[in-house]
Amino acid sequence: MIKLIPAAEHHNANVGDWLQSHYLFSFADYYDPANVQFGPLRVFNHDRILGHNGFPLHPHAEMEVVSVVLDGELTHKDSLGNEVTLKAGDVQRMTSGTGFTHSENNDTDNETELLQLWFLPNKRGLAPSYEHMSLDFLDTKNKLVPLVTGQKVLENIPFINSNSTVYYGHVGQGEEIDFKTFKIRKTLVYVLSGSMLVNNVEAEKYDQVRLESKDVVSLHGNAEATFILVDVPAAEVNY
């Protein structure tokens, strides 16, 4: 199965005059029973936060929360005592587990652009924990770079309690990358810029392609393109 979801079909949410978001799955006031999750991937939001605005203190529980900063800065504070300013090229992982609170704010004059992905965990009742790394992935050329994973074959990146991996990718015009997978897994590709073919399906900026029962996901640059690839199990135990 391969399904193209054009950018025009995403739910666009404007919160006041300070936040613009694209929701790839049901979230907040948007609910579509046919679009709740993809394997354990429950939330995929593409956010833009204007300067001196952000999300006030709020709770999470039983979720793996991943933030990927594409541009600007984001200041994170939480009930575990962490206070960190994330910058472009940084990746943050939060295991909310039995529950914690945090806030996220853009304290600068400029817009912050980030992706936030939530995964249902493969273990419940975990102690809350936090991790972030500067991965400098934005200069990637013609390859996939893992950003966060729960697959132990990958190391030196933030670890989530889900048998899933998030990659940032770049493919040049006329270049091709093959991502090898298994028919028991699913793949989501979200185009950040440019134009590409995903298993011969054309995808433009902000389009997404969802694939199931594939051995290989072929990524071909129609024009220079950047994208996020999320590799998830078709069924995750214990979530």
Side-chain angles (χ1 to χ4, degrees):
M1 187 278 288
I2 180 166
K3 180 180 181 181
L4 170 70
I5 302 176
E9 294 184 14
H10 296 164
H11 181 81
N12 297 319
N14 294 324
V15 179
D17 58 358
W18 65 272
L19 173 67
Q20 294 183 341
S21 293
H22 300 298
Y23 299 162
L24 274 63
F25 298 94
S26 295
F27 186 79
D29 60 349
Y30 160 59
Y31 179 70
D32 177 354
N35 188 33
V36 174
Q37 65 191 77
F38 189 67
L41 179 59
R42 176 61 188 84
V43 169
F44 190 134
N45 293 349
H46 189 170
D47 295 336
R48 286 178 171 82
I49 306 170
L50 292 185
H52 305 287
N53 284 284
F55 301 96
L57 196 68
H58 59 280
H60 287 282
E62 301 299 353
M63 198 71 68
E64 301 291 299
V65 180
V66 176
S67 298
V68 178
V69 183
L70 300 176
D71 193 25
E73 296 183 2
L74 188 72
T75 298
H76 163 96
K77 298 179 183 179
D78 64 42
S79 56
L80 302 177
N82 297 296
E83 183 173 343
V84 178
T85 297
L86 303 167
K87 299 184 179 182
D90 289 358
V91 178
Q92 172 185 268
R93 182 273 306 167
M94 297 174 284
T95 294
S96 59
T98 54
F100 84 140
T101 57
H102 78 127
S103 63
E104 300 163 298
N105 290 285
N106 175 6
D107 295 328
T108 73
D109 294 331
N110 302 314
E111 183 180 86
T112 294
E113 180 183 6
L114 73 148
L115 306 173
Q116 192 162 99
L117 298 85
W118 299 7
F119 295 86
L120 295 161
N122 55 21
K123 298 177 183 177
R124 298 180 65 86
L126 293 169
S129 63
Y130 173 90
E131 182 180 16
H132 84 274
M133 291 186 184
S134 298
L135 298 180
D136 296 326
F137 57 86
L138 293 169
D139 292 330
T140 295
K141 297 294 182 184
N142 290 314
K143 64 179 180 179
L144 293 169
V145 175
L147 302 181
V148 64
T149 190
Q151 298 175 281
K152 295 182 179 179
V153 294
L154 297 172
E155 299 178 345
N156 301 317
I157 57 175
F159 181 85
I160 56 173
N161 293 285
S162 170
N163 186 23
S164 306
T165 301
V166 178
Y167 297 85
Y168 177 89
H170 171 279
V171 62
Q173 184 174 12
E175 300 292 334
E176 188 164 306
I177 300 170
D178 284 339
F179 175 72
K180 295 182 179 179
T181 183
F182 301 94
K183 291 183 178 179
I184 59 172
R185 297 185 68 81
K186 300 182 178 185
T187 308
L188 183 149
V189 177
Y190 177 63
V191 182
L192 293 170
S193 67
S195 172
M196 59 193 297
L197 296 176
V198 181
N199 283 30
N200 293 318
V201 172
E202 186 169 5
E204 305 286 340
K205 185 177 181 180
Y206 302 152
D207 291 351
Q208 60 170 303
V209 182
R210 301 182 189 182
L211 306 99
E212 298 183 34
S213 302
K214 303 295 181 184
D215 293 313
V216 177
V217 177
S218 175
L219 307 157
H220 177 87
N222 280 346
E224 183 177 21
T226 60
F227 57 94
I228 295 290
L229 185 150
V230 187
D231 171 40
V232 299
E236 181 93 277
V237 297
N238 296 331
Y239 74 74

